[in-house]
Amino acid sequence: MVLDAAANISESSSANPNKLTSYGNRVLKNNEELMSTLVKPTDTSANVSFTLADVEGRVFMVGPHVILGEIPRLYTTNCSIDIDLIGIAKNNNETRSAAVIFLGYNAMENLLKADFFNTTNDTVNTMMSSVISVTLPKTTNTALSKPVNFTFRHIREFDPSGSLYCVYWNISEWIVDGCSVLNTNSSFTVCSCVHLSTFALIMQTSSRPPESDSLLNLLNVVCVIVGLLFFSLALLTFALCPCPGVNNVARINICISLLLAHLLFLLTQQFLSLIRRQQVLCVLISGLLHFLFLSGFVWMFIEAVLLFICVKNLSQIRSQKRKVLRNRLLCVFGYGVALVVVGISAVVVPNSYGSEKCWIKMNKGLIWSFLGPVTVILALNIILFISIGISLNSAFKKLNADVSQLKQTKIIMFKTLAQFVILGCSWILGFFTNSSQVLEILFLILNSQQGTFIFLIYCVLNKGIRQEYRKLFTSLCSGLKPKNFNWFSENTEDSTIQGVQMK
C-alpha cells in the first residue's frame, strides 16, 4: 500500500536533497489520493480514522443536513486542528457538503527536512513538530470561511532563545506565507493558516552562541577538568594509603561516580555534533549520565548518614568499638537505588532519553525521575549537615578546652563549609540559576569542585597522609624506593573534624 511508503523514510534519509523532496512529494500525493477514496456522500456527518506505525489519518465529512453546531477538533498523536468545515460546506451551493482529510506523519521530517527552510549561515533550523497534511477532497469550493488553527506538540526540546515559524511545504521548500504563530509555550505551539497544505513547525536558532555563553562554557570546561584532576588524586590517595580503622567506601564511590559522570558529560558536550548523528549512542549516554549522577547523590546521602553516626558516637569513641555497615551492603544500596530508578524510568516513559544535548528530554516528564530523588536527598543532607554542625561544635567545646577558641572556630568553619559541598548541599543552587548568572557561575564552580574539597579535607588536611606524602616525595627526590606506608594515629580532634569513622 502507498501508506506503507512512509516506513521506508529512514532508509532514504541519506539521499541527496532532490531525491528526498521528490520521494516526499510522491508520498504526500499518493497518500492524499488514497485517502480521498474514503470520502463518501453523507446527509449529516461521518468520520473515518486509522493509525499505523508512521502515519495517522482522520477523515471528516458533512452533508446538507448536518446537525452539528461545529466540527469537533480532529486529533493525531502530535497535532490537532480546528477547521470550519460546516462553513465550507455552506459555500458549496451545489452539494452543500464538504470533507477534510487530516494526515499526521511521524517520520516525514527525515524527508522534508528543516534544512529546506530559508536560512542564513549563522542560524540552525530544527523541526519542532511532526509533519501534517490537510486537504479538502471532492469539494467544489475549497475557499476557507475562516483561518484553520493547528496545535502542534513539540517533539524536541524547546529553546526559549529560538524563533518559531509555522510553515507549509511548497514542492521543494518550507515557506511561511499565510501562516503565523498564535501562541506558544514549552510544550505546544498554536499556528493559524489561511490556506491548506502540508504543514510543520520549525525553530530557528543562532549557531553563534552569545559571548557570555562562550565564557561560561570555557569556565565550565576549566572547572570540570580541575575537578576531575582532584577526584583522581583523591582516589589515588585512598588506594595507596588505606587508613586502618577508617571506612572510606562512601568517599571513594562519590569520587568514582562523579568522576565518570563529569568526564562523560564533558566529552559528550565537546563532541555533541558527532554523537547526535548516532541517536542510539546519545540515548545510551543520557541513560548512563542519569545513573552516574543519581548514584553520586545516593553516595552523598550515605556519607552524610555515616558522618552523622560518627559525630553522635563521639563521646563513646574511646570506650566502645563502633559497628560499621558492611561495604557490600553499602554498594548494593549506593548503586542499586540509581539502577532501579533508571530501569523503571526507561520502561515507564520510553523514548525519553536522548535530548538535543544527550540528556533527559524535558517535555516527557522523565526529568522528575532525576529531580525528585535529588530533591529528597538534598533536603535530607541539609538536615543532617545542620545536625552534624551543631553536634560537632558541642563536642569540640568539651574536648578542646586547651585549644585556642579562635583557631578552633576557623577550623570548624572551614571544614564545615567543605562538608556542605562534599555532601552535595550546594546543588540546591541549581533550582535558582535561571534567574541569576552569578548563581549559575557559583553553582558551576562549587559542584565541579567536590573532588577538590574531598582531596583537601580527607587527604591534605590529614596528618598521617601529609606525613606519608613527605616521606614519598623525599624518597622520590633522593632516588630511593619508597618505603611501605606507616600510619600515624591521629588524635580524636582531627578525626572528628573530618568526620572519619574510627574503631
Side-chain angles (χ1 to χ4, degrees):
M1 293 178 62
V2 178
L3 288 172
D4 293 332
N8 298 318
I9 288 175
S10 60
E11 297 178 6
S12 303
S13 60
S14 60
N16 63 53
N18 291 334
K19 288 184 178 180
L20 290 177
T21 57
S22 175
Y23 182 77
N25 288 330
R26 290 201 308 272
V27 171
L28 293 173
K29 181 179 178 180
N30 292 336
N31 284 349
E32 289 170 6
E33 289 179 353
L34 181 59
M35 289 294 294
S36 66
T37 63
L38 300 177
V39 177
K40 304 297 182 184
T42 179
D43 287 335
T44 55
S45 64
N47 66 85
V48 179
S49 64
F50 67 87
T51 300
L52 299 178
D54 293 298
V55 62
E56 299 174 74
R58 306 289 182 263
V59 181
F60 203 95
M61 298 154 279
V62 297
H65 304 297
V66 62
I67 58 176
L68 297 173
E70 59 181 14
I71 299 301
R73 179 173 292 182
L74 304 181
Y75 288 92
T76 61
T77 301
N78 294 318
C79 184
S80 66
I81 67 168
D82 295 298
I83 182 170
D84 183 23
L85 194 60
I86 295 177
I88 296 172
K90 290 179 180 179
N91 291 334
N92 288 302
N93 297 326
E94 296 179 2
T95 62
R96 309 287 289 180
S97 63
V100 60
I101 295 175
F102 176 31
L103 291 170
Y105 297 94
N106 297 327
M108 185 64 76
E109 63 270 17
N110 292 330
L111 290 178
L112 311 183
K113 295 176 176 291
D115 294 338
F116 299 145
F117 182 53
N118 58 55
T119 185
T120 57
N121 293 331
D122 59 349
T123 57
V124 175
N125 294 330
T126 303
M127 190 71 75
M128 292 296 293
S129 72
S130 298
V131 175
I132 66 168
S133 181
V134 185
T135 56
L136 295 172
K138 299 181 180 180
T139 303
T140 55
N141 185 357
T142 58
L144 298 179
S145 57
K146 60 177 67 174
V148 179
N149 292 340
F150 308 93
T151 302
F152 289 107
R153 185 177 70 84
H154 299 163
I155 61 174
R156 291 182 175 83
E157 279 190 86
F158 177 77
D159 185 352
S161 65
S163 299
L164 287 173
Y165 296 92
C166 299
V167 296
Y168 78 93
W169 182 249
N170 185 24
I171 303 177
S172 62
E173 63 177 343
W174 293 106
I175 59 179
V176 180
D177 297 349
C179 294
S180 60
V181 175
L182 288 185
N183 54 69
T184 186
N185 58 33
S186 61
S187 301
F188 296 92
T189 294
V190 180
C191 296
S192 179
C193 295
V194 297
H195 57 80
L196 299 182
S197 181
T198 297
F199 302 95
L201 180 68
I202 291 178
M203 172 174 282
Q204 201 168 77
T205 54
S206 175
S207 59
R208 297 179 181 177
E211 185 177 352
S212 59
D213 287 350
S214 299
L215 294 175
L216 195 62
N217 289 336
L218 178 61
L219 179 63
N220 177 61
V221 171
V222 172
C223 289
V224 170
I225 291 175
V226 172
L228 292 176
L229 174 64
F230 282 104
F231 272 130
S232 302
L233 289 175
L235 283 173
L236 189 62
T237 301
F238 291 142
L240 297 178
C241 308
C243 182
V246 176
N247 189 353
N248 282 324
V249 62
R251 297 156 198 164
I252 291 173
N253 284 283
I254 289 174
C255 291
I256 292 174
S257 296
L258 295 183
L259 171 66
L260 294 176
H262 285 302
L263 178 60
L264 180 59
F265 183 79
L266 179 64
L267 293 175
T268 300
Q269 299 311 307
Q270 296 305 306
F271 300 99
L272 187 59
S273 59
L274 297 176
I275 295 174
R276 281 294 304 156
R277 298 175 186 174
Q278 304 294 330
Q279 183 60 23
V280 174
L281 177 61
C282 185
V283 169
L284 291 176
I285 288 175
S286 60
L288 185 56
L289 284 173
H290 187 190
F291 168 76
L292 290 173
F293 276 116
L294 197 56
S295 62
F297 277 97
V298 175
W299 281 111
M300 292 177 210
F301 172 69
I302 293 174
E303 173 69 2
V305 172
L306 294 178
L307 285 176
F308 179 76
I309 293 173
C310 178
V311 171
K312 284 298 182 183
N313 292 340
L314 181 63
S315 60
Q316 305 171 14
I317 204 166
R318 295 190 179 189
S319 61
Q320 176 176 311
K321 182 178 180 179
R322 184 165 53 86
K323 295 181 180 179
V324 178
L325 295 174
R326 293 183 178 180
N327 292 349
R328 290 182 180 178
L329 293 177
L330 291 177
C331 288
V332 169
F333 182 78
Y335 292 110
V337 170
L339 187 61
V340 169
V341 171
V342 173
I344 293 176
S345 300
V347 172
V348 174
V349 191
N351 301 321
S352 291
Y353 289 108
S355 68
E356 294 297 319
K357 295 185 178 180
C358 292
W359 178 235
I360 302 171
K361 294 180 181 177
M362 300 297 179
N363 61 343
K364 294 284 188 177
L366 184 64
I367 190 64
W368 285 104
S369 66
F370 177 73
L371 293 181
V374 166
T375 302
V376 172
I377 289 173
L378 289 178
L380 293 175
N381 279 8
I382 289 175
I383 294 172
L384 290 172
F385 170 78
I386 294 173
S387 300
I388 290 171
I390 295 173
S391 299
L392 206 58
N393 185 58
S394 176
F396 271 110
K397 288 181 178 179
K398 297 178 181 179
L399 295 176
N400 295 304
D402 59 332
V403 179
S404 166
Q405 185 66 34
L406 180 60
K407 180 181 178 181
Q408 174 186 331
T409 302
K410 288 181 178 180
I411 293 174
I412 292 176
M413 286 181 62
F414 174 74
K415 293 194 173 183
T416 300
L417 290 174
Q419 288 293 351
F420 183 84
V421 177
I422 292 172
L423 298 181
C425 299
S426 56
W427 282 78
I428 198 71
L429 292 173
F431 293 97
F432 307 99
T433 55
N434 289 335
S435 58
S436 172
Q437 189 175 30
V438 174
L439 288 179
E440 186 174 359
I441 294 174
L442 184 61
F443 170 81
L444 188 157
I445 294 174
L446 287 178
N447 296 303
S448 63
Q449 301 308 306
Q450 282 181 266
T452 305
F453 284 102
I454 290 175
F455 180 72
L456 287 175
I457 297 302
Y458 297 118
C459 300
V460 175
L461 296 181
N462 183 293
K463 286 184 179 179
I465 293 181
R466 286 203 306 273
Q467 291 174 357
E468 294 304 322
Y469 278 158
R470 293 192 190 100
K471 293 169 62 177
L472 178 62
F473 292 147
T474 301
S475 298
L476 290 175
C477 291
S478 62
L480 299 176
K481 182 178 180 181
K483 299 180 180 180
N484 293 331
F485 294 132
N486 295 316
W487 282 92
F488 294 84
S489 60
E490 296 180 77
N491 58 34
T492 304
E493 173 189 342
D494 189 65
S495 300
T496 305
I497 295 175
Q498 299 174 36
V500 177
Q501 298 178 9
M502 300 179 63
K503 291 185 178 180

